Amino acid sequence: MRIPRVFVPLPFSSEAEINLPETQAHYLTRVLRMDAGRPLFVFNGEGGSYSAEIIQASKNTCLIKLGHFTPDNFQSPLNCSLAIGISKGDRFEYVLQKACELGVTQIYPLFTSRTEVRLDTARQSKKTEHWQQVLISSCEQNGRNLIPQLNTPQSIIEFLPQATADLKLVLHHRANQALNSYATPQSVCLLIGPEGGLSEVEINQAQQQGFNPLALGPRILRTETAPLVVLSLVQYQWGDLN
């Protein structure tokens, strides 16, 4: 039987007893139907994880006791930032989930000239909270104990001057430079457009800010496919996919 992993945004210490927040308690007791004596793993995003055991369980309440601490975070040695145009529907959530699985460190949601998603302040806040939960759920599944940093959505013009990395790459299907033409970096920033890609103006602006063009072959990839392909490639080339 699979032992569940649960994110709990509380301070931890060995042998501590913790009353889980209502959301996590409901998930364990009502969704998974776990009761006293069942094991689980918990992490709080500060690094490492604890084994734990349920010692009391009732409707929407759950008391656990922490056990052994494991310091592993399963972080890639490559610090990888993904800056990507916000896409429609559940495509962006899919990108967040899979990017987390592929070891991304930071995510910058961008408004570009071809971004069709429009968010007022209230909707943007609600969306950002939802996207954060997508990343947390992905970490619960994939074993990561440090949640990727999700930055506030911003325009590509605001983002470009602040982008920092040893190697900055902008996907450009008319470019002819492949990944293996670049020297091994310690950090990389990937810039990818929404549906329809980045405009010529935006690509030129990115290159003026130190971004290098990157091609991924002769075919045009969808906005939810491109980041997963390039993340897989950089993690294979310079990270921990081998």
Side-chain angles (χ1 to χ4, degrees):
M1 181 181 297
R2 186 181 71 88
I3 300 177
R5 273 172 43 88
V6 180
F7 172 74
V8 179
L10 294 173
F12 290 163
S13 61
S14 293
E15 304 301 318
E17 294 185 2
I18 296 176
N19 275 302
L20 295 183
E22 183 176 348
T23 298
Q24 288 80 0
H26 174 84
Y27 174 69
L28 293 176
T29 62
R30 308 296 290 176
V31 178
L32 298 185
R33 299 186 181 278
M34 296 174 66
D35 50 21
R38 290 285 298 277
L40 67 152
F41 296 103
V42 294
F43 67 104
N44 61 5
E46 296 179 4
S49 66
Y50 280 86
S51 62
E53 180 180 327
I54 297 175
I55 55 178
Q56 289 181 18
S58 59
K59 183 179 180 181
N60 293 338
T61 63
C62 187
L63 178 67
I64 66 170
K65 183 174 183 178
L66 300 184
H68 177 71
F69 175 72
T70 302
D72 300 328
N73 288 317
F74 306 106
Q75 292 289 98
S76 171
L78 178 68
N79 188 316
C80 187
S81 298
L82 174 63
I84 183 166
I86 301 169
S87 49
K88 295 187 296 183
D90 58 3
R91 293 178 183 177
F92 196 71
E93 296 174 22
Y94 178 82
V95 169
L96 293 177
Q97 181 189 70
K98 301 307 176 185
C100 184
E101 291 179 29
L102 291 167
V104 74
T105 310
Q106 289 194 77
I107 298 170
Y108 295 88
L110 300 181
F111 296 106
T112 73
S113 63
R114 292 175 178 160
T115 299
E116 297 183 14
V117 177
R118 297 290 181 263
L119 301 174
D120 58 26
T121 302
R123 283 193 65 214
Q124 180 171 299
S125 177
K126 193 171 182 179
K127 274 286 187 184
T128 303
E129 290 178 9
H130 177 68
W131 293 337
Q132 182 70 29
Q133 187 56 53
V134 170
L135 292 174
I136 289 171
S137 297
S138 182
C139 285
E140 289 177 332
Q141 177 271 325
N142 67 41
R144 293 182 65 176
N145 292 318
L146 296 175
I147 300 164
Q149 179 180 332
L150 177 64
N151 294 278
T152 302
Q154 61 188 307
S155 72
I156 188 171
I157 298 303
E158 293 173 307
F159 164 74
L160 288 175
Q162 64 178 278
T164 58
D166 294 341
L167 177 62
K168 298 189 289 186
L169 299 171
V170 54
L171 263 66
H172 180 12
H173 71 272
R174 288 180 291 278
N176 56 14
Q177 288 177 269
L179 200 62
N180 59 11
S181 65
Y182 295 108
T184 302
Q186 294 297 309
S187 60
V188 62
C189 181
L190 307 170
L191 174 59
I192 301 171
E195 296 96 334
L198 298 172
S199 68
E200 288 292 337
V201 170
E202 289 165 337
I203 291 171
N204 290 334
Q205 290 170 332
Q207 290 180 303
Q208 290 168 10
Q209 293 290 340
F211 279 81
N212 298 284
L214 175 67
L216 292 177
R219 291 169 296 281
I220 298 174
L221 303 180
R222 293 170 64 99
T223 185
E224 68 269 31
T225 307
L228 310 187
V229 172
V230 71
L231 281 168
S232 297
L233 289 172
V234 299
Q235 293 289 13
Y236 176 77
Q237 187 104 349
W238 302 313
D240 59 358
L241 285 183
N242 49 55

